[in-house]
Amino acid sequence: MPGKNVLLVDNDPDFLETRAEYLEGAGYRVLKAYSPEEARRKLDEGNVHLAILDLRLVDDDDEKDISGLTLAKDPDYRVVPKVILTAFPSYEAVRDALGRGLDGLPPAVHFLDK
């Protein structure tokens, strides 16, 4: 996908910056967002070919924070392929991210452990 726009969303600025550099070095144009709200603005602007979303976008210490998965499930952004990236994988999160939604498609195309 070189030359394509990748939305990278993570609430950890250091992680976001280092991963963005890696993707840019591979030829991707990286759009960075540090919160669900900022990610929604970037998605609403359009021209996002892939979104890589941290599972916990609000509070890494809150095991109930699945704001990245909630964003991935938003029907307004169904056409954008999404990857969930997290340091806190769980069976439930993987199932929710990769299981079929009401339209028969999963919210994410892949689930990765950081």
Side-chain angles (χ1 to χ4, degrees), residues 44-62:
D44 288 341
E45 291 171 6
N47 209 21
V48 172
H49 300 103
L50 173 70
I52 302 172
L53 311 168
D54 185 19
L55 180 66
R56 296 183 185 178
L57 291 175
V58 176
D59 184 354
D60 285 338
D61 296 324
D62 181 359

Side-chain angles (χ1 to χ4, degrees), residues 7-25:
L7 175 62
L8 184 58
V9 188
D10 200 295
N11 61 337
D12 178 343
D14 292 332
F15 181 86
L16 187 62
E17 292 301 324
T18 57
R19 295 326 179 266
E21 287 175 14
Y22 177 78
L23 290 168
E24 289 165 347

Side-chain angles (χ1 to χ4, degrees), residues 89-108:
S90 69
Y91 170 79
E92 293 82 11
V94 172
R95 183 191 62 218
D96 288 348
L98 301 177
R100 291 184 187 186
L102 295 176
D103 59 2
L105 299 173

Side-chain angles (χ1 to χ4, degrees), residues 5 29 31 40-49 80:
N5 296 331
R29 179 171 179 253
L31 310 170
R40 287 180 189 282
R41 284 193 297 275
K42 303 256 185 201
L43 286 162
D44 288 341
E45 291 171 6
N47 209 21
V48 172
H49 300 103
V80 177

Side-chain angles (χ1 to χ4, degrees), residues 78-93:
R78 295 294 290 158
V79 297
V80 177
K82 293 167 276 318
V83 173
I84 300 295
L85 183 65
T86 186
F88 307 99
S90 69
Y91 170 79
E92 293 82 11

